[in-house]
Amino acid sequence: MISNGDAVIEVRRLEKTFTVMQKTGRLRRTRQQVQAVAGVDFTVEAGEMVGYIGPNGAGKSTTIKMLTGILVPSGGTIRVVGLEPSRRRVELARRIGVVFGQRTQLWWDLPLRDSFELLRHVYRVAPDRHAQNLAAFIELLDMGPFLDTPVRQLSLGQRMRGDLTAALLHDPEIVYLDEPTIGLDVVSKAQVREFLANVNRERGTTVLLTTHDLADIERLCRRVMIIDHGRVIYDGELETIKQRFGTERTLVVDLEEPGPPIEVEGAEVVKVEGPRQWLRFKRTDVTAADLVARVAAHAHLVDLSVEEPDIEGVVRRIYVEGLDP
Amino acid sequence: MGEVFAVYRRLAGAKLRGDLQYRASFVMFFAGQFLITFLDFVAIAVVFGRVTTLGGWSLYQVAFLYGASGVAFGLSDMFVSQVEYVPQRIRLGTFDSLLIRPVSSLLQVVAEDFAPRRMGKVLQAAIILGVAVAKLHLAWTVGRVAMTVCMVLSGTLIFSAIWIAGGAACFWLLEGQEVMNSVTYGGNFMTQYPIHIYGAWLRRLLAFVTGTAFVAYFPALYILDKPDPLGLPSFMPFLSPAVAVVACVLAGAFWRVAIRHYRSTGS
């Protein structure tokens, strides 16, 4: 039996190299080795919720696919609940859940309810346990109104709720989520986050999630691993990263007419494009509300928005400024 | 084993329910295939309009061969040919979701794309086979009945093994579907005629490489009581089940190797 604090995922010097054929002439092609994952080490303990973030092409999805056993590593070792995923894939599948945000594992032409019923047979879940889990998830995710709708007619947010349920109905010990909030609106995103927090808290499910949305991580994960070019460049508390690199936000304002860069205390104009200006500020120096008030004192505002730092921005700053204090 | 079959039944049933949402398309595909496969047989009938025997075989004897291989191919087409969609699944990235479930990926591929609309082919071949049997006035001994059943089952397995091997090859050749179809549909075409009408190298290929001569030709020699013009040992007809089992084991092993070479798609 696994209890909180035991290592459930152990990854050592993990590597994955793809051979890509590149066209170099009319007919000639040369082999090129692309290293998607280049020596990754980490351990995840039971009950943890870890954010695995990095820019596009950093190796996040490749790592997750090796953890599930879909891809065979080129080097290094993986142990998930003590099993080697690529050799024991089918056995491991019963104990893990996976959500690929970009695609669905539900049956496209059938009502959502039917997909859950099919999965009960695929995972051989006892009928009463299945019914109990399903009832709980339907309530948590508010799926009642669209349970009998064919999956192809569901909105993205509804489908994602279905996919989350599909990944969790068999009581997996670990769930991997690859971009679970991609493309969702603010309300759906919040619902997905609440749900995941609940599952982790109430069921003790270990969660490893990749995302582009720092807000997902902020809401859910104390620990974050940042990967870039196939290597883990940071593994630790989210708070540390946030204080050091995630403090900079950008206020975007649309003025009534083009003008010179606005000069206000606590912010600096980084870009001007016609009547639109971008002001960078630190959340530690000034609140967004105060800043808006200061800008409004200078010019007539038509519209405004606040941009949060994204993963790419954080990674860029880690490179520029370095991690050492 | 029972559990595997239960999962298969569920998944195939789900596909059927999904298909029935597009009833018109289902019916048209079924009818279309039924009619088009008759044209295959018309080609044979046209040949017999010019000659009375083909390699020493009468029209109804060739019809028997055609029907038997057609039923076997049709069944494999209905139950297993779905592996030809593997390249699409790989390209769309939906193959990943099969690999995260605790059921064999091959079972899921064939069950999730179960194609009852391809029944048309089986039905057409069965009718030809029935007519041939009626016209040939065979003496139905226990041996002949057993060999006929064995022929259809072994033939189905041999064609299925070829489909699976072709599907596995697609993990390397994503555009391999056309090559694969030339082997499968082409293989079916070749089995509709007595193999001794072909040249020596093609005969050897069908008998010893693809194994498709064991689908209908060798068993038919026994059932129709024809001498083997090639002088092969008289136990050849009895080898069909063994060839079928070996073919399936090899195809299954090849599939497992292929899965370990799966590269998935980006993101």
Side-chain angles (χ1 to χ4, degrees):
Chain A
M1 193 55 216
I2 288 171
S3 54
N4 271 21
D6 292 351
V8 285
I9 304 175
E10 289 179 278
V11 173
R12 297 288 168 267
R13 293 187 300 283
L14 182 65
E15 287 178 26
K16 181 69 189 179
T17 308
F18 290 108
T19 307
V20 187
M21 296 302 249
Q22 201 128 58
K23 251 190 157 159
T24 48
R26 194 181 287 273
L27 286 169
R28 188 174 303 167
R29 286 177 179 199
T30 49
R31 283 165 169 273
Q32 208 169 26
Q33 304 282 324
V34 177
Q35 199 163 34
V37 176
V40 163
D41 287 81
F42 63 83
T43 302
V44 175
E45 291 171 358
E48 266 196 287
M49 231 175 166
V50 181
Y52 194 49
I53 63 176
N56 281 329
K60 301 182 301 273
S61 294
T62 305
T63 309
I64 293 217
K65 283 175 186 170
M66 287 192 281
L67 288 172
T68 59
I70 292 175
L71 290 178
V72 182
S74 315
T77 57
I78 307 179
R79 286 289 175 280
V80 176
V81 291
L83 303 174
E84 185 183 341
S86 67
R87 299 213 166 266
R88 312 280 289 277
R89 177 173 50 78
V90 173
E91 190 184 343
L92 182 65
R94 219 174 274 290
R95 302 176 64 178
I96 62 170
V98 188
V99 174
F100 295 114
Q102 315 253 39
R103 37 192 83 98
T104 182
Q105 65 150 322
L106 303 167
W107 278 259
W108 200 242
D109 285 325
L110 297 182
L112 187 56
R113 189 192 292 279
D114 290 24
S115 284
F116 298 149
E117 180 62 13
L118 282 165
L119 288 169
R120 175 171 90 74
H121 292 280
V122 167
Y123 285 92
R124 286 194 249 137
V125 182
D128 48 343
R129 182 72 192 144
H130 175 82
Q132 201 183 333
N133 278 343
L134 187 56
F137 292 145
I138 288 173
E139 189 177 334
L140 276 170
L141 289 169
D142 197 15
M143 290 188 295
F146 54 89
L147 264 183
D148 293 304
T149 310
V151 172
R152 61 167 192 273
Q153 290 170 12
L154 297 181
S155 72
L156 193 59
Q158 292 171 332
R159 211 200 69 205
M160 179 49 67
R161 287 183 261 167
D163 261 307
L164 283 170
T165 304
L168 287 160
L169 270 176
H170 58 286
D171 288 321
E173 293 153 57
I174 304 171
V175 59
Y176 305 107
L177 306 151
D178 196 359
E179 304 277 4
T181 57
I182 198 161
L184 300 188
D185 61 57
V186 183
V187 178
S188 301
K189 273 187 183 181
Q191 194 171 27
V192 166
R193 288 174 195 147
E194 286 312 311
F195 175 72
L196 291 174
N198 179 290
V199 165
N200 173 257
R201 194 175 57 235
E202 302 296 322
R203 296 170 181 253
T205 313
T206 309
V207 178
L208 182 66
L209 84 126
T210 78
T211 182
H212 263 83
D213 191 339
L214 267 185
D216 287 346
I217 305 281
E218 229 169 332
R219 170 69 186 84
L220 296 171
C221 310
R222 274 184 54 205
R223 177 180 166 196
V224 57
M225 295 190 289
I226 303 178
I227 182 173
D228 190 42
H229 291 108
R231 287 173 207 282
V232 173
I233 57 172
Y234 178 82
D235 182 352
E237 298 260 323
L238 171 67
E239 204 49 39
T240 315
I241 284 291
K242 232 174 65 186
Q243 279 175 8
R244 299 256 328 260
F245 303 108
T247 51
E248 279 191 355
R249 309 162 85 188
T250 308
L251 175 71
V252 187
V253 291
D254 286 349
L255 306 178
E256 255 181 3
E257 47 199 49
I262 303 163
E263 282 183 35
V264 287
E265 202 194 321
E268 157 190 26
V269 174
V270 288
K271 194 164 135 191
V272 179
E273 219 172 67
R276 182 171 288 187
Q277 301 199 3
W278 281 260
L279 290 91
R280 193 158 66 196
F281 65 103
K282 290 195 171 182
R283 67 171 96 225
T284 45
D285 295 348
V286 60
T287 66
D290 282 344
L291 186 62
V292 171
R294 286 177 205 173
V295 172
H298 282 261
H300 281 287
L301 283 176
V302 179
D303 197 4
L304 61 88
S305 64
V306 178
E307 288 179 355
E308 295 295 327
D310 58 356
I311 307 279
E312 276 78 6
V314 170
V315 169
R316 213 180 307 120
R317 289 194 58 198
I318 291 178
Y319 275 117
V320 175
E321 297 168 30
L323 272 168
D324 306 313
Chain B
M1 201 60 204
E3 279 165 345
V4 170
F5 184 70
V7 170
Y8 176 86
R9 210 164 41 85
R10 295 274 168 190
L11 294 177
K15 173 67 164 75
L16 184 58
R17 265 180 294 150
D19 274 1
L20 288 176
Q21 299 213 352
Y22 308 97
R23 244 171 256 263
S25 146
F26 184 93
V27 169
M28 274 178 347
F29 190 98
F30 180 93
Q33 211 186 23
F34 185 80
L35 292 174
I36 284 170
T37 45
F38 260 112
L39 290 179
D40 278 353
F41 188 72
V42 168
I44 294 174
V46 165
V47 171
F48 275 93
R50 301 263 160 200
V51 297
T52 49
T53 63
L54 191 64
W57 291 46
S58 71
L59 171 63
Y60 289 114
Q61 286 171 333
V62 174
F64 180 85
L65 200 58
Y66 172 92
S69 102
V71 170
F73 184 77
L75 288 173
S76 80
D77 194 37
M78 189 162 110
F79 288 106
V80 184
S81 72
Q82 299 81 311
V83 293
E84 74 173 323
Y85 300 130
V86 161
Q88 273 104 302
R89 278 184 179 266
I90 293 176
R91 249 180 271 134
L92 293 172
T94 55
F95 197 77
D96 287 351
S97 61
L98 303 185
L99 293 177
I100 58 167
R101 296 191 187 137
V103 179
S104 139
S105 53
L106 183 55
L107 180 90
Q108 291 181 73
V109 167
V110 299
E112 287 202 358
D113 284 328
F114 172 57
R117 62 181 187 279
R118 301 193 190 207
M119 248 297 257
K121 195 175 288 185
V122 182
L123 199 64
Q124 179 264 353
I127 291 171
I128 303 267
L129 181 63
V131 170
V133 164
K135 294 280 185 181
L136 284 168
H137 304 295
L138 295 168
W140 283 108
T141 61
V142 175
R144 285 211 174 100
V145 172
M147 183 61 88
T148 306
V149 173
C150 209
M151 167 176 71
V152 172
L153 290 179
S154 308
T156 306
L157 290 178
I158 291 170
F159 278 128
S160 301
I162 295 173
W163 279 114
I164 292 166
C170 290
F171 283 87
W172 285 273
L173 317 160
L174 278 185
E175 273 105 57
Q177 199 181 343
E178 280 73 30
V179 180
M180 179 173 157
N181 282 344
S182 72
V183 176
T184 50
Y185 290 101
N188 175 37
F189 180 76
M190 303 302 268
T191 55
Q192 294 168 356
Y193 295 88
I195 66 164
H196 57 267
I197 67 166
Y198 302 126
W201 67 270
L202 191 53
R203 283 199 311 259
R204 287 194 198 103
L205 181 81
L206 296 176
F208 304 113
V209 181
T210 63
T212 42
F214 289 92
V215 168
Y217 178 71
F218 288 125
L221 288 179
Y222 175 88
I223 298 164
L224 304 177
D225 202 15
K226 304 287 288 183
D228 185 350
L230 303 173
L232 288 165
S234 58
F235 58 76
M236 291 303 262
F238 301 95
L239 288 184
S240 286
V243 170
V245 170
V246 170
C248 285
V249 169
L250 287 177
F254 186 32
W255 179 270
R256 279 188 293 278
V257 171
I259 291 290
R260 288 190 68 81
H261 278 83
Y262 176 53
R263 302 169 39 131
S264 189
T265 46
S267 88

